[in-house]
Amino acid sequence: PVAVRSFRFEDRPDGSIAVLDPKTGSTIDTVTGQSGFVRGTLRGLARERKRMGLGAEQPFVLMGRADGRLTLKDPATGRVVDLESFGPLNAGVFARMLARPTAN
């Protein structure tokens, strides 16, 4: 990986998804509008955590590779999602998260 970043995700009352820095709790990004891919990806990972009796405390890890591939990993379950296999527009939403500056 050329870039690795941890995130927590939180549903908001307005239907958006807050992307949070797991250390500070600061909002790094907000996914609004066409968030179906992000929501679906996170729902699948959350379902696996629930099945295993795990909570949302542990952050997810997003990795960007030198060849442009993006991988979202759930260290709590070991599940890995190769985001580029869902097309550049879908993976681009996660790439934007990886590129955002770290909150202070």
Side-chain angles (χ1 to χ4, degrees), residues 28-77:
I28 296 169
D29 199 359
T30 302
V31 180
T32 59
Q34 297 179 344
S35 61
F37 175 68
V38 173
R39 188 170 302 286
T41 301
L42 297 176
R43 186 179 299 128
L45 294 172
R47 186 179 315 121
E48 183 70 13
R49 283 186 176 191
K50 185 175 182 178
R51 186 184 70 75
M52 296 175 78
L54 304 170
E57 300 80 28
Q58 190 168 1
F60 296 95
V61 178
L62 182 60
M63 296 176 282
R65 304 195 187 280
D67 62 2
R69 293 183 307 141
L70 286 173
T71 303
L72 183 63
K73 181 177 181 177
D74 183 356
T77 65

